[in-house]
């Protein structure tokens, strides 16, 4: 963190939205509205200018950024998927579509919350390690707050979203090695240089988990109780833990009659949470790094160490949930199924939770109840 007096010329605020700003400086949605180009509502752009302006007072900057956050992030749709229900023979499946967030995934929630936190606490830089979705979300959130952003990308991984990350003005640092190595380097740099550390498992974990808890509140707002189960994809397990904590809070406050079961899915043999559940180990055990094979489909789901793994595993067990692996082919098939049956274009990796729900239902049929499946958009 620096004192804010000297702006870095490569600062994120200089670069973002080149694709949006046209001739007279006014914005047109059409200028950037291709499916690959994340957009925020153009009328909010002046607020980003205020949030990024270090000559303004902090309350003014925070207020502007909060309006952007409230307007653009979260409150994603929850819709009943009757055609999928018929297809798999389980009633009352709801799809919570995180694709409505600006960069198409739930990562926007924690990226914007942390950018706001970074502003409030006087940081000028934010960093994270990511192969794609999270990095894109942090790059956008940082650019709108005028924060310099450093994204550490593991060298050998597919990183489809690197162009978007660059377009949002973030600095990209390629780290030789895997995701875990990139997290380590990003974290060390954060400590050394005083950057805001947006990595999972670091000093801002509580904020991340609390923010994911808002997904639970939104589901409750629609259903007026907790569903029987939440099915979702896992990598580090942070999203799962955050949603669980949201439901625990609702339950403790007397709002819901139960806490949902948690059902997790991930890529075959490449996620410690699922592996540990299947092997029935007491803790979430690391996998062998050399076993991890990154593909264009499984990239959001794989790791040899799940940072919130112990917690996620205990939630799955405590709630009498379920966890299972799936293959790239099945993920692609499910994404196609959702598009054909429900008209929703989803990221194949994000269907891993639905695959696990169906897997469990086939082995031991669930009763008719309400089941919520978390999905993300397919921008990646
Ligand atoms: C689209 C998507 N879904 C799920 C996950 C897994 O989330 P978590 O690491 O919180 O388990 C990721 C992680 O990057 C992701 O990008």
């Amino acid at each position: 963190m620096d004192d804010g007096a000297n702006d870095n010329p490569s600062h994120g605020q200089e670069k973002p939205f080149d694709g949006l700003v046209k001739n007279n400086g006014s914005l047109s949605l059409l200028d950037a509205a291709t499916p690959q180009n994340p957009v925020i509502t153009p009328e909010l752009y002046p607020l980003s200018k205020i949030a990024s302006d270090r000559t303004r007072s902090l309350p003014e900057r925070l207020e502007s950024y909060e309006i952007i956050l409230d307007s653009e992030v979260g409150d994603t749709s929850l819709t009943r998927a009757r055609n999928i229900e018929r297809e798999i023979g389980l009633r009352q499946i709801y799809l919570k579509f995180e694709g409505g967030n600006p960069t198409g995934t739930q990562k926007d929630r924690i990226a914007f919350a942390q950018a706001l936190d970074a502003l409030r606490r006087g940081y000028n830089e934010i960093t994270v390690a990511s192969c794609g979705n999270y990095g894109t979300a942090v790059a956008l959130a940082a650019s709108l707050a005028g924060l310099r952003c450093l994204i550490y990308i593991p060298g050998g991984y597919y990183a489809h979203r690197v162009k978007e990350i660059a377009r949002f003005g973030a600095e990209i640092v390629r780290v030789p090695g895997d995701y875990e190595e990139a997290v380590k380097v990003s974290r060390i740099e954060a400590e050394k240089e005083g950057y805001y550390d947006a990595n999972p498992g670091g000093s801002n974990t509580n904020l991340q988990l609390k923010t994911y808890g808002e997904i639970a509140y939104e589901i409750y707002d629609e259903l007026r109780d907790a569903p029987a189960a939440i099915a979702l994809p896992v990598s580090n397990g942070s999203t799962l833990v955050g949603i669980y904590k949201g439901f625990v809070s609702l339950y403790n406050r007397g709002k819901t009659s139960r806490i949902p079961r948690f059902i997790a899915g991930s890529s075959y043999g490449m996620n410690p949470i699922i592996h540990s559940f299947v092997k029935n180990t007491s803790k979430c055990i690391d996998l062998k790094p050399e076993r991890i094979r990154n593909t264009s489909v499984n990239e959001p789901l794989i790791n040899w160490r799940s940072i919130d793994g112990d917690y996620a595993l205990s939630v799955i067990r405590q709630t009498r949930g379920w966890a299972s692996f799936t293959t790239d082919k099945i993920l692609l098939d499910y994404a196609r199924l959702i598009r054909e049956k429900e008209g929703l274009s989803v990221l194949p990796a994000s269907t891993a939770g639905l695959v696990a729900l169906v897997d469990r239902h086939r082995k031991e049929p669930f009763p008719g109840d309400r089941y919520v499946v978390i999905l993300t958009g397919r921008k990646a």
Side-chain angles (χ1 to χ4, degrees):
M1 178 171 44
D2 66 44
D3 61 10
N6 47 356
D7 273 345
N8 184 321
S10 65
H11 194 286
Q13 74 184 19
E14 310 286 327
K15 295 182 188 166
F17 297 106
D18 287 356
L20 289 174
V21 182
K22 291 286 166 188
N23 307 325
N24 56 5
S26 68
L27 292 162
S28 160
L29 185 63
L30 295 176
D31 291 336
T34 73
Q36 296 304 318
N37 287 349
V39 244
I40 63 155
T41 311
E43 70 187 47
L44 297 173
Y45 183 57
L47 292 173
S48 161
K49 282 219 149 80
I50 296 172
S52 306
D53 185 348
R54 291 178 197 180
T55 65
R56 303 247 187 186
S57 71
L58 186 59
E60 208 181 356
R61 293 179 68 192
L62 292 175
E63 197 182 337
S64 300
Y65 197 75
E66 271 166 11
I67 296 170
I68 300 173
L69 193 161
D70 287 341
S71 309
E72 293 292 316
V73 183
D75 289 325
T76 54
S77 64
L78 183 74
T79 44
R80 193 160 160 195
R82 286 174 180 269
N83 292 321
I84 302 261
E85 289 175 16
R86 294 181 187 110
E87 194 71 23
I88 63 181
L90 176 62
R91 290 198 66 240
Q92 296 200 50
I93 294 177
Y94 291 82
L95 308 180
K96 178 73 173 157
F97 184 55
E98 289 294 297
N101 287 311
T103 72
T105 78
Q106 76 274 19
K107 303 283 170 186
D108 286 315
R109 294 175 181 268
I110 60 171
F112 277 74
Q114 288 174 108
L116 179 66
D117 190 40
L119 267 189
R120 186 183 291 123
R121 291 162 59 195
Y123 285 87
N124 290 322
E125 297 91 2
I126 185 165
T127 184
V128 77
S130 165
C131 315
N133 293 330
Y134 191 21
T136 311
V138 173
L140 175 65
S143 76
L144 293 168
L147 295 166
R148 183 176 163 223
C149 179
L150 296 99
I151 307 291
Y152 289 77
I153 296 183
Y157 278 40
Y158 281 94
H160 335 255
R161 307 197 74 175
V162 75
K163 275 200 193 130
E164 287 170 81
I165 293 172
R167 194 175 135 244
F168 293 138
E171 292 159 46
I172 291 161
V173 187
R174 290 262 177 190
V175 178
D178 51 24
Y179 167 72
E180 284 75 3
E181 185 60 25
V183 171
K184 201 165 98 191
V185 176
S186 166
R187 177 156 298 141
I188 289 169
E189 285 301 303
E191 264 167 35
K192 201 168 77 191
E193 303 292 338
Y195 303 156
Y196 188 97
D197 180 2
N199 286 293
S203 52
N204 298 304
T205 300
N206 273 344
L207 177 60
Q208 294 163 10
L209 299 182
K210 217 170 168 33
T211 304
Y212 279 143
E214 286 165 18
I215 298 175
Y217 303 157
E218 290 172 21
I219 293 168
Y220 163 74
D221 280 346
E222 303 261 347
L223 301 182
R224 310 314 297 174
D225 200 350
I230 301 280
L232 77 171
V234 290
S235 174
N236 280 315
S238 318
T239 314
L240 185 152
V241 171
I243 297 175
Y244 167 77
K245 284 171 82 83
F247 276 112
V248 169
S249 168
L250 286 164
Y251 182 76
N252 288 339
R253 285 148 57 203
K255 306 263 185 200
T256 58
S257 62
R258 59 186 173 181
I259 291 168
R261 290 171 152 191
F262 278 77
I263 297 178
S266 197
S267 175
Y268 193 82
M270 300 203 209
N271 180 270
I273 300 168
I274 313 290
H275 182 82
S276 303
F277 181 85
V278 171
K279 296 280 173 204
N280 204 18
T281 60
S282 60
K283 288 265 171 204
C284 186
I285 48 171
D286 291 349
L287 302 177
K288 292 200 173 78
E290 60 274 17
R291 273 185 57 173
I292 304 303
R293 296 262 180 279
N294 170 271
T295 71
S296 60
V297 174
N298 73 14
E299 177 276 308
L301 305 176
I302 60 162
N303 44 12
W304 55 263
R305 172 172 296 159
S306 288
I307 293 173
D308 289 309
D310 281 332
Y311 202 157
L313 184 65
S314 77
V315 168
I316 295 167
R317 290 209 172 111
Q318 267 176 38
T319 63
R320 296 180 302 113
W322 179 258
S324 59
F325 283 132
T326 186
T327 62
D328 284 10
K329 181 177 178 314
I330 292 173
L331 294 171
L332 290 165
D333 287 347
Y334 269 69
R336 192 173 335 107
L337 178 81
I338 293 167
R339 193 173 56 245
E340 284 168 7
K341 297 287 173 192
E342 302 295 341
L344 209 53
S345 181
V346 301
L347 182 70
S350 77
T351 67
L354 177 61
V355 179
L357 176 76
V358 173
D359 181 52
R360 167 65 174 70
H361 179 58
R362 291 222 169 101
K363 290 190 168 78
E364 200 181 319
F366 282 119
D369 203 322
R370 295 194 285 187
Y371 299 87
V372 173
V373 175
I374 311 287
L375 293 168
T376 64
R378 70 151 316 130
K379 286 180 180 172

